Amino acid sequence: MTSVVLEEIPDRITLALEISNCQGNCVGCHSPFLRSDIGEELTPDVVDALIADNFGVNCFLLLGEGNDLQALLGIARHLRERHPRIETALYSGRESVSEQEIWDLFDYVKTGPYKAECGPLNSRTTNQRLYHHGEDITSRFWHRGIDPAASKA
Ligand code: SF4
């Protein structure tokens, strides 16, 4: 599924795509259907068509890594080469991302599996982190959500 979103990446108009074949195993997974091999293959042509159909977006976000790293990196390279004005973003469900190519090819990288008890990015108790060129910008979400710690005060 694709959608244009404003909340996932700060100050960006983001075209977000859910990526299936998730290799994660989050307890309380919010999207179990993404663990299956479903949907249309994401190719450079599909990327071009989506961008043409969503004029004005300035960030392209992959919600998940799937099960084919080289294909994922190929999509990011294509975006860099053919759509240099559009930033690239990846939501990884992994605790940490060690592949340097991912950090090089994606402007934004989100790490951390989904843990319901910790909350999403806009909770100060979240275990997840959003990085922009390696800088942790997670705190930019914290004015948007309910802060469980503050609400107890
Ligand atoms: S990263 Fe975790 S929450 Fe997201 S689809 Fe995969 S298992 Fe579910």
Side-chain angles (χ1 to χ4, degrees), residues 11-22:
D11 305 323
R12 294 291 177 272
I13 303 167
T14 300
L15 180 59
L17 276 76
E18 291 177 321
I19 304 298
S20 61
N21 280 316
C22 175

Side-chain angles (χ1 to χ4, degrees), residues 1-143:
M1 189 181 84
T2 63
S3 50
V4 175
V5 293
L6 299 174
E7 296 289 316
E8 270 70 4
I9 302 294
D11 305 323
R12 294 291 177 272
I13 303 167
T14 300
L15 180 59
L17 276 76
E18 291 177 321
I19 304 298
S20 61
N21 280 316
C22 175
Q23 302 297 293
N25 194 24
C26 305
V27 176
C29 168
H30 51 64
S31 305
F33 59 93
L34 290 179
R35 297 182 188 177
S36 307
D37 184 5
I38 58 169
E40 181 185 352
E41 183 180 357
L42 186 61
T43 65
D45 286 346
V46 172
V47 169
D48 294 345
L50 286 169
I51 289 174
D53 288 346
N54 290 276
F55 181 79
V57 298
N58 54 19
C59 187
F60 196 97
L61 167 63
L62 303 180
L63 297 168
E65 294 183 78
N67 63 354
D68 186 340
L69 175 62
Q70 290 311 315
L72 187 85
L73 295 174
I75 292 298
R77 279 192 201 97
H78 176 75
L79 283 160
R80 279 266 199 273
E81 290 165 10
R82 295 291 296 276
H83 306 279
R85 293 183 183 170
I86 295 181
E87 289 193 295
T88 53
L90 174 67
Y91 271 25
S92 167
R94 289 186 284 158
E95 204 68 70
S96 62
V97 170
S98 58
E99 296 86 352
Q100 188 57 46
E101 288 166 300
I102 288 182
W103 294 101
D104 291 343
L105 288 169
F106 288 93
D107 297 292
Y108 296 88
V109 177
K110 177 184 166 186
T111 63
Y114 173 68
K115 293 183 180 176
E117 70 275 19
C118 296
L121 278 176
N122 63 2
S123 167
R124 288 174 190 262
T125 57
T126 187
N127 62 302
Q128 300 181 314
R129 290 289 176 271
L130 181 68
Y131 297 92
H132 182 228
H133 296 159
E135 178 191 357
D136 186 342
I137 61 167
T138 313
S139 62
R140 292 182 63 180
F141 289 88
W142 292 345
H143 67 285

